[in-house]
Amino acid sequence: MNAEPLLIVGILTAIFVGYNIGGSTTGPAFGPAVGANVITKVMAAGLMSIFFFLGAYTIGPKVVMTLGEKLVTDTSIFTLRSNVAVLFFIGGALFVGNYAGVPASTSMTAVGAIAALGFATGELNWNELGEIAVWWIVAPILGFWVAGVVGRYFYPQINAWIAIESKQGGRPMVSIDRSGVVPRLRFGADADRREITGALVVVGIGCLMGFASGTSNIANAIAPIYGTGDIDMIPLILIGSAAVAVGCFTIARRTLDTLGNDITNLPLTAAIVVAVISSGIVIGLSSIGIPASFVVIATMSIVGLGWGRATRTTTLSGVRAGEETRVSVGALTAEEEGERSPEIGEEDVEDIPKASDLFDPSTTARVILMQNVVPAISTIGAYLTFRFVPIFGF
């Protein structure tokens, strides 16, 4: 097969990868806002598409150069034939996660496939891979513990300041009114000013997460093709971002349900906390060229916040005077507007849900399992192919 058909196949495969990136990253970015019924899935997809492109265009090239130039010691291994195979394993593995409704880590999946190519050919830059791996371990732990500390000690104060509640059922809090010449935002009739402000904040931070995703994840779709030098960076970013947008409007509906509803029923305050923590970590890593595991960081932040709220304790009056009993407090549910934020030990025991109500352990376990299985499929499949299939000529 000559070069031109292979290049076309490579671009089509990159589009397939971008499509699955849109499916796997929209959930962590806008799942909390959709789950809290602030915006619709269509609005989430549109906002994700726009801000993903902005992140890809501005900071994304740094991560593209890491995967397309630094992760291997000789970029000549990025032949058109090998690129098709790399992108096939990235896209195929991500599709498995999206089909299961679990947002897998695109960065781990892509780095795994490219590293497998480098390892099979003896051109893997172990120092670069080691630096990436260290940050992959540190970043989710950091997200989990920061979110856990916020949930354990600061969430009631933040919630009292924001004073907004999830609007489950009925019309979303924020929608678009297209009745006039110029479309404009329309808010629910029962939403007060503080709730509107909170809704705009959580949507805005979801946009920040979309931007963060673009800074890191665009490289996963286009880095192998960029490594060949056949196509410039900007056209590849435009192609990849368009493919991501298609995924946002289609297959992302599954991951929006998983991250917005199945793991935990996040109120808006919790969504804001998770978004700030995860997007801050991802943008920070992308700015130094590290392909961040956006999905893992966001997911572990959600779990960390739920865990932190579940470990809040309250004091019950014992049978005998002076006797105290400690119980778990489920504080992810928003306090009633206008009430003073309770300190630890002040919550009303009758209003305490079980810890299992805060986040679904079985769904959380499924998400974490798939986030490890999907990159393993990509890495192992790519290595066996490049190591033992003669057609690649390595």
Side-chain angles (χ1 to χ4, degrees), residues 19 27 107 125 137 185 265 283 309:
Y19 167 78
S107 292
N125 186 338
I137 295 172
L185 293 178
N265 185 17
I283 293 175
R309 295 297 287 154

Side-chain angles (χ1 to χ4, degrees), residues 340-380:
R340 182 178 65 85
S341 172
E343 300 293 337
I344 296 177
E346 292 184 354
E347 290 92 345
D348 187 351
V349 177
E350 295 181 357
D351 296 330
I352 300 173
K354 297 179 181 179
S356 59
D357 294 334
L358 301 180
F359 58 90
D360 187 342
S362 63
T363 302
T364 302
R366 177 169 62 91
V367 169
I368 295 175
L369 175 64
M370 288 300 294
Q371 286 176 350
N372 287 275
V373 169
V374 169
I377 292 174
S378 174
T379 304
I380 296 172

Side-chain angles (χ1 to χ4, degrees), residues 38-95:
V38 176
I39 59 174
T40 64
K41 292 179 181 179
V42 173
M43 287 185 65
L47 291 171
M48 182 70 186
S49 302
I50 294 170
F51 284 90
F52 183 97
F53 168 72
L54 294 177
Y57 186 81
T58 54
I59 301 177
K62 293 185 178 181
V63 184
V64 173
M65 286 189 288
T66 296
L67 296 188
E69 297 178 356
K70 299 179 182 179
L71 190 56
V72 297
T73 57
D74 184 2
T75 57
S76 65
I77 65 174
F78 287 125
T79 65
L80 291 174
R81 194 186 300 272
S82 67
N83 287 343
V84 171
V86 166
L87 292 170
F88 170 79
F89 283 110
I90 296 172
L94 290 175
F95 182 78

